[in-house]
Amino acid sequence: MMSSILPLKHPPATLAATPGTLPQGWSAARLRRRLAERAIETLLLLAALVSVFTTAAIVAILVWESVVFFRTVPLLDFLTDTQWTPLFDDAHFGILALLSGTLTTTIVALLVAVPLGTILAIYLSEFAPFRVREVAKPFLELLGGIPTIVYGYFALLFVTPVLQKIYPELPGFNMLSAGLVMGIMIIPYVSSLSEDAMRAVPMHMREASYAMGATRLQTAVFVVTPAALSGLASSYILGISRAVGETMVVAIAAGMQPNFSFDPREPAATITAYIVQVALGDLPHGSIGYQTIFAAGLTLLLITLVFNIVGHFLRKRFREAY
Amino acid sequence: MIPKSLGASSSASGVAGIRRLIARHKTLDWLFGLLGTLALLLATLVFAALFGQMLINGAPQLSWEFFTSFPSRRAASAGILSAWVGTILVMLVTAVVAVPLGIGAGIYLEEYARKNLLTDIIEINVTNLAGVPSIIYGLLALGLFVYQFGLGQSIAAAGLTLALLILPVVIVATREAIRTIPQNIREGAYACGSSKWQVVSHHIIPYSLPGIMTGVIIGLARAIGETAPIITIGALTFIAFLPPSPFSNAEQLISFEWLLAPFTVMPIQMFNWISRPEEAFQANAAAAGLVLLLMTLSMNALAIWIRYHFRKKIKW
């Protein structure tokens, strides 16, 4: 009997009642379908595993090329030198010169995105009339979909000239304008995640607060925000990790010259801008210049990984149970 | 803020004090409403400035010739023919790879996966991949596709890179769409004797299709605008020819020669023009940006429309 080889969990009633009268080809068809089902499941599993392979490949490639790089350049120099001039005769490999640019632009971006994103989230979730929300949410989503290169163009040819009118000594490439535009770019991510977290706070908590005579602002600040803190924190973390990994805006508007400085008015290169600069040139495969971009990329990946992990723990730490 | 106001009310003289307190909090409430409106207004203004500036600088450049000319050393006669053809071909590769893989992975995680270590690993992985900066995908592609697989700086390498990049977007959209399907749909299908795949192919996929489509379109819109990973694999910026046509080969009906052809895409062309010092090229950059912006915005708008439209229509 086929059923002993392929046990059915829930045999159809007709099968149990009249096992002998089945058509000849039935079990073969059944077997075929079983096999097809297994094949489909395996295919779907393979599709899901592609993401695991991607991560493994990213780590493998970055580590592989970085190991070759660190054979030439001591790790201590990499972490403490404040000059980054890998393509000069007098080569220096101090990642700090790139990290300072990344840090400065990220901080400027966060100073824009966190307050504005939070205000927008509170407004949309607690204050805005239904009609405003229905229009504003898709509008913000659209802003999040604008290509970063367009933001880069905007930073270089609109924001920088405007800033130069206010502060004439500002150079054409500067971290301030790149950071500001990056902040605007991140607002939709921060506001939409924060708003989702706030909307997830149960209505009865707001109603209790209103019943005590609290205004909408008091309810938002003392009831909804604390309850949604985990979501807010993770939206900020996502914002940071976006800003750290953002490439085109800084590559276009902040210049590509490594510069160990935390002054946003100066031009500087970020880790990402350096990778773009090298990729634009014609570096032979396997040269030290080629390997630097993988070492820089590994640093970038580790930084974003740290933020992702911190975000994960913040979510767990502040999780409110209702 | 609460303790302070409590103190104020107890020290104030009776009803008048309480009235003042209420008035103050109502003012604060109103002020925050104003602040929120202003923030929204600011976002609108920034968008208007961004769009307006591109329109003013770029619109005069937009002509039939701009779409049918190759890039040129002279700004006035330069066009985006190779760029938009390249974008369409790269997107084709991206969609062909990312859509089946993403939907398959999403279906596996929602419908098939058992609760075990492997599933946990895949789930954590997808979440983490969504947070990896796009330029890292470029480095992966440079090491893996360009050199290990020997694809070179080709359309195939770029398409595969962007496919991996948008995979998490498609997976997450698929999972979210599937999760909204009530359990009794599945139970009903099983009760009629359906196999697992029949349930998935006859019910789960059709019902979650609007959500999946939204995710796919948003993912592709993101891929169209991605510049960094394509620069990283070393795509050329000056391409004054088209890839070999898929249909021109005499021996076979469809040729795949174009997959390995060098290419340029819209954002790369735009970046190239931005980096030129001459002002005339910046106008070209604005025009290319305008085209790019219209492409991504209309795709995003379509995705948002699909979501809103079907969300209202479906009643389980």
Side-chain angles (χ1 to χ4, degrees):
Chain A
M1 274 288 302
M2 217 53 222
S3 63
S4 61
I5 303 164
L6 296 163
L8 288 172
K9 263 190 200 154
H10 309 289
T14 50
L15 172 69
T18 56
T21 59
L22 283 171
Q24 202 66 48
W26 190 91
S27 54
R30 179 114 242 184
L31 178 68
R32 229 182 4 253
R33 209 169 90 182
R34 279 253 145 178
L35 283 175
E37 289 279 327
R38 287 307 294 267
I40 286 165
E41 183 172 349
T42 314
L43 277 179
L44 293 176
L45 173 64
L46 285 177
L49 283 177
V50 167
S51 74
V52 181
F53 293 145
T54 308
T55 308
I58 287 176
V59 173
I61 296 255
L62 290 183
V63 168
W64 179 258
E65 297 284 352
S66 299
V67 163
V68 184
F69 171 78
F70 284 118
R71 254 184 233 147
T72 330
V73 179
L75 187 62
L76 196 67
D77 286 2
F78 184 72
L79 293 176
T80 55
D81 200 334
T82 56
Q83 273 186 307
W84 180 267
T85 52
L87 306 178
F88 290 7
D89 286 339
D90 174 29
H92 284 277
F93 300 93
I95 194 75
L96 284 179
L98 298 178
L99 272 179
S100 67
T102 299
L103 191 69
T104 313
T105 47
T106 301
I107 288 172
V108 174
L110 288 180
L111 287 178
V112 174
V114 167
L116 274 174
T118 313
I119 288 172
L120 273 175
I122 295 178
Y123 177 73
L124 287 178
S125 144
E126 309 297 318
F127 283 76
F130 180 74
R131 294 288 270 293
V132 173
R133 185 157 55 221
E134 284 294 282
V135 177
K137 281 209 73 163
F139 170 67
L140 284 174
E141 260 179 84
L142 276 185
L143 279 187
I146 294 176
T148 58
I149 179 116
V150 172
Y151 278 113
Y153 174 89
F154 180 63
L156 181 69
L157 296 171
F158 185 87
V159 176
T160 301
V162 167
L163 290 175
Q164 277 170 335
K165 287 219 174 83
I166 303 164
Y167 180 77
E169 285 100 275
L170 199 69
F173 293 120
N174 61 78
M175 293 190 271
L176 182 63
S177 118
L180 287 177
V181 171
M182 225 155 72
I184 290 164
M185 202 184 84
I186 297 168
I187 288 175
Y189 297 106
V190 175
S191 73
S192 105
L193 267 187
S194 301
E195 201 218 329
D196 287 348
M198 289 180 159
R199 308 271 289 170
V201 174
M203 212 53 198
H204 60 77
M205 292 181 68
R206 289 189 188 87
E207 280 156 3
S209 169
Y210 291 139
M212 301 300 288
T215 61
R216 287 177 302 180
L217 182 63
Q218 285 171 316
T219 308
V221 173
F222 297 111
V223 177
V224 180
T225 307
L229 209 56
S230 64
L232 289 179
S234 67
S235 83
Y236 300 156
I237 296 285
L238 179 82
I240 295 176
S241 117
R242 288 267 157 189
V244 168
E246 172 46 38
T247 310
M248 293 324 291
V249 176
V250 283
I252 292 171
M256 295 193 199
Q257 210 57 49
N259 176 9
F260 183 64
S261 161
F262 295 96
D263 183 349
R265 289 167 302 184
E266 287 183 25
T270 61
I271 297 177
T272 51
Y274 172 72
I275 298 175
V276 164
Q277 188 203 12
V278 169
L280 282 175
D282 198 18
L283 273 181
H285 173 53
S287 66
I288 183 84
Y290 175 83
Q291 285 147 7
T292 54
I293 61 174
F294 288 92
L298 185 64
T299 315
L300 184 65
L301 185 68
L302 288 178
I303 294 171
T304 48
L305 191 68
V306 166
F307 280 117
N308 282 348
I309 292 170
V310 169
H312 181 76
F313 278 103
L314 274 179
R315 267 196 295 275
K316 281 201 157 170
R317 171 95 172 66
F318 290 122
R319 174 147 295 157
E320 295 260 345
Y322 305 111
Chain B
M1 208 163 157
I2 275 183
K4 208 168 145 198
S5 50
L6 279 177
S9 71
S10 60
S11 68
S13 53
V15 181
I18 293 173
R19 287 234 168 94
R20 263 203 307 282
L21 183 73
I22 292 173
R24 200 173 71 226
H25 281 299
K26 277 198 165 163
T27 314
L28 280 176
D29 198 57
W30 182 82
L31 277 177
F32 189 87
L34 190 68
L35 191 66
T37 318
L38 284 179
L40 208 53
L41 204 65
L42 183 71
T44 318
L45 273 179
V46 168
F47 180 71
L50 185 147
F51 198 74
Q53 195 226 8
M54 288 219 141
L55 204 62
I56 290 166
N57 290 345
Q61 290 294 315
L62 288 178
S63 62
W64 182 248
E65 282 72 39
F66 188 68
F67 289 94
T68 56
S69 314
F70 288 111
S72 157
R73 308 238 177 263
R74 292 189 306 120
S77 57
I80 54 168
L81 178 61
S82 49
W84 70 257
V85 171
T87 287
I88 288 175
L89 292 177
V90 170
M91 283 308 118
L92 198 66
V93 177
T94 303
V96 164
V97 176
V99 171
L101 281 182
I103 296 178
I107 290 172
Y108 179 80
L109 288 173
E110 282 303 311
E111 297 292 322
Y112 285 86
R114 290 157 199 86
K115 195 86 201 104
N116 58 22
L117 185 67
L118 183 66
T119 309
D120 282 349
I121 289 176
I122 297 174
E123 288 196 344
I124 293 170
N125 217 314
V126 172
T127 320
N128 266 335
L129 273 185
V132 170
S134 63
I135 196 157
I136 300 282
Y137 286 91
L139 290 174
L140 164 73
L142 181 64
L144 194 67
F145 299 144
V146 175
Y147 289 114
Q148 292 289 331
F149 292 0
L151 291 176
Q153 282 92 5
S154 63
I155 290 174
L160 287 174
T161 313
L162 295 181
L164 292 185
L165 181 70
I166 67 166
L167 206 51
V169 180
V170 180
I171 295 176
V172 170
T174 305
R175 296 189 66 180
E176 275 175 5
I178 289 177
R179 249 180 254 156
T180 60
I181 300 172
Q183 195 58 29
N184 54 21
I185 299 272
R186 296 178 185 87
E187 281 158 7
Y190 283 131
C192 294
S194 294
S195 69
K196 187 124 201 167
W197 176 243
Q198 283 170 331
V199 172
V200 169
S201 61
H202 296 173
H203 300 278
I204 303 299
I205 293 179
Y207 304 157
S208 56
L209 211 53
I212 295 175
M213 286 301 293
T214 313
V216 166
I217 296 171
I218 286 179
L220 286 177
R222 191 176 154 204
I224 279 191
E226 272 301 341
T227 323
I230 308 230
I231 290 182
T232 311
I233 65 171
L236 290 168
T237 47
F238 192 85
I239 298 276
F241 52 86
L242 288 181
S245 160
F247 305 110
S248 67
N249 200 315
E251 283 154 39
Q252 60 215 97
L253 199 62
I254 296 171
S255 121
F256 289 100
E257 223 179 306
W258 57 272
L259 275 173
L260 292 175
F263 69 103
T264 188
V265 287
M266 294 289 299
I268 299 275
Q269 187 61 63
M270 185 181 169
F271 178 65
N272 177 250
W273 280 332
I274 293 177
S275 340
R276 301 278 189 105
E278 302 97 320
E279 204 140 295
F281 278 111
Q282 318 249 308
N284 281 357
L290 210 53
V291 176
L292 190 61
L293 202 58
L294 288 177
M295 279 168 138
T296 54
L297 286 188
S298 54
M299 284 174 84
N300 275 306
L302 177 68
I304 291 169
W305 180 81
I306 290 178
R307 178 159 43 185
Y308 276 65
H309 184 72
F310 282 91
R311 198 182 62 185
K312 275 177 196 151
K313 270 198 162 174
I314 292 179
K315 293 220 169 56
W316 298 109

